[in-house]
Amino acid sequence: MKTKKLINDPKVIIEEMLEGIVAAHPKHVRQVEGAPRAVVALNGPRKGKVGLVIGGGSGHEPTFVGFVGKGLADACPIGNVFASPPPDPIYECAKAASGGAGVLFMYGNYAGDVMNFDMAAEMAGMDEIEVRTVLTTDDIASAPLDQKEKRRGVAGNFFIFKIAGAACDTMKPLDECERLARKANAHTYTMGVCLSPCSLPQTQKYSFELGPDEMEIGMGIHGEPGVAKGPIQTADAVTDAIMDKILGEMKPNKGDKVAVLVNSLGATPLMELYLLNRRVKQRLDQVGVSIHQTWVGNYCTSLEMAGASITLLHLDDELTGLLDHPCDCAMFRAG
Amino acid sequence: MKTKKLINDPKVIIEEMLEGIVAAHPKHVRQVEGAPRAVVALNGPRKGKVGLVIGGGSGHEPTFVGFVGKGLADACPIGNVFASPPPDPIYECAKAASGGAGVLFMYGNYAGDVMNFDMAAEMAGMDEIEVRTVLTTDDIASAPLDQKEKRRGVAGNFFIFKIAGAACDTMKPLDECERLARKANAHTYTMGVCLSPCSLPQTQKYSFELGPDEMEIGMGIHGEPGVAKGPIQTADAVTDAIMDKILGEMKPNKGDKVAVLVNSLGATPLMELYLLNRRVKQRLDQVGVSIHQTWVGNYCTSLEMAGASITLLHLDDELTGLLDHPCDCAMFRAG
Amino acid sequence: MTELTAADLRTIFQAIGDAIEADKSRLSELDGVIGDADHGVTMSIGFTAVNEALAKLDASADPTTVFNTAAKSFLNAVGASSGPLYGTAFMRAGAAVKGKPTVDRDALADCIQAMAKGMQDRGKAERGEKTMMDAWLPAADAAQEAKARGDDAVACLEAAVAAAEAGAEATKAMLATKGRASRLGERAIGHMDPGAASAVTILKAITAAVRGL
Amino acid sequence: MTELTAADLRTIFQAIGDAIEADKSRLSELDGVIGDADHGVTMSIGFTAVNEALAKLDASADPTTVFNTAAKSFLNAVGASSGPLYGTAFMRAGAAVKGKPTVDRDALADCIQAMAKGMQDRGKAERGEKTMMDAWLPAADAAQEAKARGDDAVACLEAAVAAAEAGAEATKAMLATKGRASRLGERAIGHMDPGAASAVTILKAITAAVRGL
Ligand SMILES: Nc1ncnc2c1ncn2[C@@H]1O[C@H](COP(=O)(O)OP(=O)(O)O)[C@@H](O)[C@H]1O
Ligand SMILES: Nc1ncnc2c1ncn2[C@@H]1O[C@H](COP(=O)(O)OP(=O)(O)O)[C@@H](O)[C@H]1O
Ligand SMILES: [Mg+2]
Ligand SMILES: [Mg+2]
Ligand SMILES: [Mg+2]
Ligand SMILES: [Mg+2]
């Protein structure tokens, strides 16, 4: 049985999606002439500003391309579904984002992305564009704490990119932008669960199997298996399991502040997300942690996967200021 | 087989959802003391302003409650899943929204909503609050043109409420607000398709059946059957079918302007919505109609239903000004 | 049974609640075919609220108070289409027995008629529009006819049930012109209206309860 | 076959493309179990692009140009993990036959070794990490050994295929430490690495094509 999708020829799905994106957001983004897979902010890049290039595979919309715009990312190379973009569009993005003050590459920590972005960084280096790379590794379910550098980047990207984008937009030098991006990543904790699988436009088959009463805990955002399969639990139990793990690592003090992201992996509706958020708030109240701001919705998806993730950003004054910095992107606005 | 949901006890799902909403958006909304099913904008209602009350069943989030905030709706009574709210919370909303200049009730044209809102309007009338009612009827698939008043209100609510909210926020008198709300409704055209059904938290069973290769054309946003079942078509063919119908009724002139909403019914991801939007733009280009602004995403959902709708708002200068008026709501911002 | 006390009315509401609970999947499924699949859920929420409210009611409450309490609690728990319809129905039943300490045979038939009339005033549906009126209106008429014939309370109710059943059955053949199904055109044909189906369930539950008193 | 011309190389790439096309569902399914279910899709996109680019190439293009064209078109069509790995592999194969008008038996074995070496330089994976290296490294060694033994081209390739098959089979028992599957721990055990599986498909296609020349 084929999964149901509103698509045309899957061979050109990314090109068609980009056409639709530019048609919808012509005041925010454009495609680089001759390099349609490189999407650039109309009001982003400028002289003396560190350029921020974020990117990765398609299928996670609004991540990554939706976060291109003034105050957040300057450019975004577009990969195939769940596949890192190749070096060429990344390199085009580096050039488009460069304002002479260096360029920051930020993306989730996946083998394919690392190889392609590194090749592009080498190409940019030959043009005398100084590139620094910060990998996002917020998925605390994807490797133990002592192997933090092996973790995947997932929905927490949203906070980490937002902070880095604000650092760049406020004209901080490259060293400082890199430091803040790394700090944001170190302060961001995500974990998710999956209830039912997604399918690729090219296969129209479910990417993996889950039993009728099963959920997958610690699911990756590409359908990679998580930590374990188990029976479906209540919203509260799921939230508790995630919050236990996050708070256990974050170790907040009473009076600390966080930002919260309750994210749908695609098919899980807002009603369920708000149930999770209710319990997140209760748990934070219990430990005396206050919430600076909360986002709830589809921020980092896996096509039509059902499930959700919870992200906490452990704030201090520096990060709070940057989080509050306004941005105006194709699919997201703040401040 | 039970459908999979991240929920607790379905008996209290609305109460828990509201707790999660207020926890997430404490700067935008609050619940009326003693009437938790009445949600009010913190910065909305004020003296001399016509109050806007929108509402309906739950399960369509961000419609309705997400559109409560400065510049849009002042208050929103919350119904059970797919069920009109009862008169009491509607009446509480009318009181909370009232600034002495009258109150506008706006909601989708469904038998249940009409009965409950009418009962509440009578109650408000006894308090000397003048209530006017404007039903939304944008679903052009739900009745023929000559029975326009029988049509359902669906995703086009978003545009209609937005215009009405701007009219109220700019302190227009009740007559004028009502006129503009009716005009917005008359200028709004929606049609949708459904690929797979939703399920209620209380039943956890699919609400209706669709064959493995079937889609439902003209689907209602509560799982009500549409115009016809048929084999799944490509994104372009679906868009063409919808655009043919919309343009056939709207009859735009060359040079006219529209606003576009490409809406997911829940599970359909942004990638697919942007494919639809691509074709919408092509079709509008062909007839020389320009796009003032486009929204793409989850605006009026049916829990986890897969499918999408397309809405066009036929603009003139008056409507454009109101559409551009800023608003800052729990789940939506503009301007 | 000779006369129904307020306590008997509570027993009857409990019996309705139990019957709806047992029938709710079927009712939601019927609604799924031509509506939004929640009718069983809604009726269950409604009668659960009714019985919770009645349980809190003072033992001395009279029949009118029982009906009014049922009306308010049903309406406020439910909303939807059913809320105003049954809310109004129970309110009118309460008015029909106003001042009476018990409900006798005649009053019972009049209650049913008042309910049907209240629903019709509220929803403005005529017979033949494929709604719960297609069960309630014939049921009310049948109860009145039985009353005029001199039948006892149970026989009046049995007549009402039979008429409601026939009415509900007849909705299968109808096009809908009120409610959600009204946009379906020909596609509604062949399917029973869920509101008419639940009307039968309610009337049957009342009959069985009265028979057992 | 004595020496492979540039035209022969194109035939071989076509054969690889056909084989991947036939195998792509299985490859995506293997990737679904321990990765993101796109490996077949990705390889298919890659070789389709390669063969489209080669079709546009001047008839006089030499083997290095064929390999370089394949490298660039694969990489740019694909990205992902496979893009840089196979892109680098083909680039190194091109370098290995630089200046040669044809590819002889020795050069063929050296090409395979250069490819494996290029992949390893790019991906930094060692044997035993449950990646395509577990097929390509043994295959390259086996081809070299066969060459040293004096085997002909087809026999060299057959040795490479046998080694790759054994290597791919061995990935089932491995924990993954590189790539998406590296976060799976014990759960990856029992499943073949999709990249190792596609390596076997590619080597088999090359062998069959060369045999048929
Ligand atoms: N105007 C009306 N008059 C009488 N009954 C109606 C009317 N509109 C709808 N109904 C009844 O309501 C039933 C549906 O009730 P329910 O599912 O609880 O509400 P909703 O339609 O709001 O989901 C229909 O089957 C029909 O019998
Ligand atoms: N560092 C690496 N070195 C060699 N091969 C690798 C490496 N990382 C991943 N792979 C291979 O890539 C395969 C997956 O490729 P593919 O599915 O096309 O890319 P992606 O992982 O980006 O989805 C894995 O099965 C593995 O064999
Ligand atoms: Mg991939
Ligand atoms: Mg309903
Ligand atoms: Mg219903
Ligand atoms: Mg893969």
Side-chain angles (χ1 to χ4, degrees):
Chain A
M1 200 201 75
K2 263 188 160 185
T3 61
K4 294 175 172 183
K5 288 180 184 285
L6 289 171
I7 59 175
N8 300 307
D9 181 357
K11 285 214 176 67
V12 290
I13 192 166
I14 303 299
E15 281 62 36
E16 291 190 351
M17 173 184 77
L18 288 174
E19 195 182 328
I21 288 174
V22 174
H25 311 292
K27 288 177 191 153
H28 288 95
V29 293
R30 64 177 175 84
Q31 290 167 286
V32 170
E33 179 116 9
R37 294 278 191 115
V39 173
V40 183
L42 290 195
N43 304 316
R46 55 197 189 272
K47 225 184 140 156
K49 188 180 99 62
V50 171
L52 176 60
V53 175
I54 62 171
S58 292
H60 308 300
E61 293 69 30
T63 294
F64 299 86
V65 66
F67 301 139
V68 175
K70 171 90 171 77
L72 221 158
D74 296 296
C76 177
I78 311 289
N80 291 331
V81 179
F82 294 171
S84 166
D88 262 2
I90 306 175
Y91 168 60
E92 292 297 334
C93 283
K95 286 194 290 184
S98 170
V103 168
L104 206 53
F105 279 3
M106 293 185 73
Y107 51 92
N109 180 31
Y110 298 92
D113 294 86
V114 172
M115 288 188 272
N116 286 284
F117 275 84
D118 279 355
M119 288 171 84
E122 272 179 45
M123 293 158 78
M126 290 191 259
D127 286 355
E128 317 274 278
I129 298 175
E130 186 176 358
V131 173
R132 302 278 176 85
T133 296
V134 177
L135 301 177
T136 64
T137 57
D138 59 300
D139 184 354
I140 61 170
S142 59
L145 188 54
D146 61 352
Q147 297 171 37
K148 216 166 183 289
E149 72 292 344
K150 288 199 176 166
R151 289 178 173 175
R152 301 183 282 234
V154 289
N157 279 337
F158 167 70
F159 284 140
I160 306 165
F161 295 163
K162 172 78 190 69
I163 299 279
C168 296
D169 196 45
T170 50
M171 306 302 277
K172 298 196 179 3
L174 184 58
D175 280 341
E176 186 65 356
C177 292
E178 183 187 346
R179 179 185 70 80
L180 288 162
R182 286 192 195 285
K183 179 173 168 181
N185 182 55
H187 283 237
T188 301
Y189 306 81
T190 303
M191 190 165 144
V193 297
C194 166
L195 300 191
S196 65
C198 59
S199 64
L200 301 177
Q202 287 85 3
T203 61
Q204 290 190 250
K205 277 186 212 149
Y206 286 116
S207 290
F208 54 96
E209 277 171 36
L210 269 178
D213 302 317
E214 266 182 344
M215 70 181 194
E216 175 96 32
I217 298 163
M219 192 76 204
I221 56 167
H222 305 85
E224 307 98 323
V227 177
K229 281 186 192 181
I232 292 203
Q233 292 175 281
T234 63
D236 281 358
V238 165
T239 308
D240 282 341
I242 293 174
M243 290 297 284
D244 285 347
K245 188 106 166 64
I246 291 180
L247 292 174
E249 265 201 28
M250 191 168 93
K251 300 196 201 323
N253 292 312
K254 220 175 153 154
D256 281 2
K257 266 192 323 185
V258 295
V260 175
L261 170 64
V262 181
N263 172 60
S264 170
L265 293 178
T268 290
L270 282 174
M271 182 175 287
E272 296 175 36
L273 300 183
Y274 280 109
L275 296 184
L276 301 186
N277 186 58
R278 166 185 168 273
R279 187 69 187 153
V280 169
K281 168 83 158 64
Q282 290 179 344
R283 291 296 306 265
L284 291 172
D285 284 349
Q286 279 168 17
V287 290
V289 171
S290 70
I291 299 169
H292 179 68
Q293 195 165 348
T294 302
W295 283 270
V296 179
N298 292 31
Y299 287 87
C300 184
T301 61
S302 297
L303 297 167
E304 77 279 28
M305 198 185 283
S309 66
I310 295 169
T311 304
L312 295 193
L313 168 59
H314 197 177
L315 289 167
D316 61 10
D317 288 347
E318 185 174 55
L319 293 175
T320 306
L322 293 165
L323 187 67
D324 290 346
H325 184 74
C327 70
D328 184 11
C329 305
M331 305 179 203
F332 176 71
R333 274 184 58 184
Chain B
M1 200 200 74
K2 265 191 159 184
T3 61
K4 294 175 173 183
K5 289 182 183 287
L6 288 170
I7 59 176
N8 300 307
D9 181 358
K11 285 213 177 67
V12 289
I13 192 166
I14 303 300
E15 280 62 38
E16 290 191 351
M17 174 186 76
L18 288 175
E19 194 182 329
I21 288 174
V22 174
H25 312 292
K27 289 176 189 153
H28 290 93
V29 293
R30 65 178 174 86
Q31 291 167 286
V32 170
E33 181 117 7
R37 293 277 192 116
V39 173
V40 183
L42 290 197
N43 304 316
R46 56 197 187 272
K47 227 184 143 168
K49 187 181 100 64
V50 171
L52 176 59
V53 175
I54 62 171
S58 292
H60 308 301
E61 292 72 28
T63 295
F64 300 83
V65 65
F67 300 140
V68 175
K70 171 91 173 74
L72 221 157
D74 296 297
C76 177
I78 311 291
N80 291 332
V81 179
F82 295 173
S84 165
D88 262 2
I90 306 175
Y91 168 59
E92 292 296 335
C93 284
K95 286 194 291 184
S98 170
V103 169
L104 207 54
F105 279 2
M106 295 186 71
Y107 52 92
N109 180 29
Y110 297 92
D113 296 87
V114 172
M115 289 188 271
N116 286 285
F117 275 84
D118 279 355
M119 289 172 84
E122 274 179 45
M123 293 159 78
M126 292 191 260
D127 287 353
E128 318 274 277
I129 298 174
E130 186 176 358
V131 173
R132 303 277 177 84
T133 294
V134 178
L135 300 177
T136 64
T137 57
D138 59 300
D139 184 355
I140 62 171
S142 59
L145 188 52
D146 60 354
Q147 297 171 37
K148 217 169 183 286
E149 72 292 345
K150 289 202 177 166
R151 289 178 174 176
R152 302 185 280 234
V154 289
N157 278 337
F158 168 70
F159 284 139
I160 305 164
F161 295 162
K162 173 79 190 68
I163 300 279
C168 296
D169 196 46
T170 50
M171 305 302 278
K172 299 197 179 0
L174 184 57
D175 281 344
E176 186 64 359
C177 292
E178 183 187 345
R179 180 185 69 80
L180 288 162
R182 287 193 194 285
K183 178 172 168 180
N185 182 55
H187 282 238
T188 301
Y189 307 81
T190 302
M191 188 165 147
V193 296
C194 166
L195 301 190
S196 66
C198 58
S199 64
L200 301 178
Q202 287 84 2
T203 62
Q204 291 190 249
K205 277 187 210 149
Y206 287 117
S207 290
F208 53 96
E209 275 171 35
L210 270 177
D213 302 317
E214 267 181 344
M215 70 182 192
E216 174 96 31
I217 299 165
M219 191 75 203
I221 56 165
H222 307 86
E224 306 99 323
V227 178
K229 281 185 193 183
I232 292 204
Q233 291 177 283
T234 63
D236 281 359
V238 165
T239 308
D240 281 342
I242 293 174
M243 290 297 285
D244 286 347
K245 188 108 169 60
I246 291 179
L247 293 174
E249 266 201 28
M250 189 167 93
K251 301 198 199 321
N253 292 312
K254 219 174 153 154
D256 280 2
K257 265 191 325 183
V258 294
V260 176
L261 170 65
V262 181
N263 173 58
S264 171
L265 293 180
T268 289
L270 282 173
M271 182 175 286
E272 296 174 38
L273 300 183
Y274 280 109
L275 296 184
L276 301 186
N277 186 57
R278 164 184 169 274
R279 186 68 187 156
V280 169
K281 169 82 157 67
Q282 290 179 345
R283 291 295 305 266
L284 291 172
D285 285 348
Q286 279 168 18
V287 290
V289 170
S290 69
I291 299 169
H292 179 68
Q293 197 166 347
T294 303
W295 283 270
V296 180
N298 292 32
Y299 287 88
C300 184
T301 61
S302 298
L303 296 169
E304 77 280 27
M305 198 186 281
S309 66
I310 295 170
T311 304
L312 294 194
L313 168 61
H314 197 177
L315 289 166
D316 62 8
D317 288 347
E318 185 173 56
L319 293 176
T320 305
L322 293 165
L323 187 67
D324 290 347
H325 184 73
C327 70
D328 183 11
C329 305
M331 305 180 203
F332 176 70
R333 275 185 57 183
Chain C
M1 161 257 176
T2 43
E3 316 230 315
L4 297 171
T5 63
D8 293 336
L9 289 179
R10 295 183 193 209
T11 307
I12 292 172
F13 273 113
Q14 191 61 58
I16 298 174
D18 294 345
I20 288 289
E21 214 49 38
D23 202 24
K24 75 179 172 186
S25 295
R26 184 186 68 108
L27 296 175
S28 288
E29 276 158 29
L30 285 173
D31 198 20
V33 181
I34 59 170
D36 61 347
D38 65 352
H39 187 61
V41 172
T42 298
M43 296 302 281
S44 152
I45 292 174
F47 283 105
T48 303
V50 165
N51 286 309
E52 274 169 19
L54 292 182
K56 285 189 207 125
L57 205 60
D58 206 86
S60 65
D62 67 356
T64 297
T65 309
V66 169
F67 278 124
N68 285 352
T69 303
K72 271 202 192 136
S73 52
F74 193 98
L75 176 61
N76 279 322
V78 156
S81 302
S82 309
L85 294 167
Y86 279 100
T88 308
F90 297 144
M91 200 70 84
R92 294 290 178 85
V97 297
K98 184 124 198 165
K100 299 192 183 168
T102 58
V103 181
D104 61 17
R105 185 199 68 126
D106 288 6
L108 186 64
D110 293 349
C111 272
I112 292 175
Q113 194 170 44
M115 285 176 67
K117 177 77 170 49
M119 287 178 168
Q120 194 170 28
D121 288 350
R122 176 61 61 202
K124 313 267 183 312
E126 301 293 334
R127 275 178 213 224
E129 295 199 283
K130 201 178 183 106
T131 71
M132 56 177 81
M133 299 322 301
D134 290 308
W136 278 107
L137 290 173
D141 287 354
Q144 286 298 322
E145 284 158 26
K147 174 181 110 174
R149 273 197 311 269
D151 288 2
D152 71 5
V154 169
C156 286
L157 287 166
E158 279 167 350
V161 167
E165 277 187 309
E169 197 57 38
T171 64
K172 286 188 183 167
M174 296 175 191
L175 284 170
T177 47
K178 284 278 183 317
R180 284 182 203 285
S182 63
R183 286 88 177 196
L184 272 180
E186 305 282 333
R187 292 178 72 188
I189 289 179
H191 306 288
M192 184 181 292
D193 176 67
S198 65
V200 173
T201 305
I202 290 169
L203 282 162
K204 278 189 179 170
I206 296 173
T207 310
V210 171
R211 205 184 280 124
L213 285 172
Chain D
M1 162 254 178
T2 40
E3 317 233 315
L4 298 172
T5 64
D8 294 336
L9 288 180
R10 295 182 193 210
T11 308
I12 291 171
F13 273 112
Q14 192 61 57
I16 298 174
D18 294 346
I20 287 290
E21 215 50 37
D23 202 24
K24 75 179 170 188
S25 295
R26 182 185 69 108
L27 297 174
S28 288
E29 277 157 28
L30 284 175
D31 198 20
V33 182
I34 58 170
D36 60 348
D38 66 352
H39 188 61
V41 173
T42 298
M43 297 300 282
S44 153
I45 292 173
F47 283 106
T48 304
V50 165
N51 285 308
E52 275 169 20
L54 291 182
K56 287 188 205 127
L57 205 61
D58 206 88
S60 64
D62 67 357
T64 296
T65 309
V66 169
F67 278 123
N68 285 351
T69 303
K72 272 203 190 133
S73 51
F74 193 98
L75 176 61
N76 279 322
V78 157
S81 301
S82 308
L85 293 168
Y86 277 101
T88 307
F90 297 145
M91 200 69 84
R92 294 289 179 86
V97 296
K98 182 121 198 170
K100 296 191 183 169
T102 57
V103 180
D104 61 17
R105 184 197 69 127
D106 288 6
L108 187 62
D110 293 350
C111 274
I112 292 176
Q113 194 169 46
M115 285 175 68
K117 177 74 168 51
M119 289 177 167
Q120 194 168 29
D121 288 350
R122 176 60 60 200
K124 311 270 183 313
E126 301 293 334
R127 273 180 214 220
E129 297 198 282
K130 199 175 183 108
T131 72
M132 55 177 82
M133 299 321 302
D134 290 308
W136 278 108
L137 290 172
D141 287 352
Q144 285 297 322
E145 282 159 27
K147 172 182 112 175
R149 273 198 310 269
D151 288 359
D152 71 7
V154 169
C156 286
L157 286 166
E158 281 166 348
V161 166
E165 278 187 308
E169 197 57 37
T171 63
K172 286 188 184 167
M174 294 176 193
L175 284 169
T177 47
K178 283 279 185 317
R180 286 184 201 283
S182 62
R183 285 92 176 193
L184 272 180
E186 304 283 332
R187 292 180 70 189
I189 289 179
H191 307 288
M192 185 181 291
D193 176 68
S198 65
V200 172
T201 305
I202 291 169
L203 281 163
K204 278 187 177 169
I206 297 173
T207 309
V210 170
R211 206 186 275 122
L213 284 172

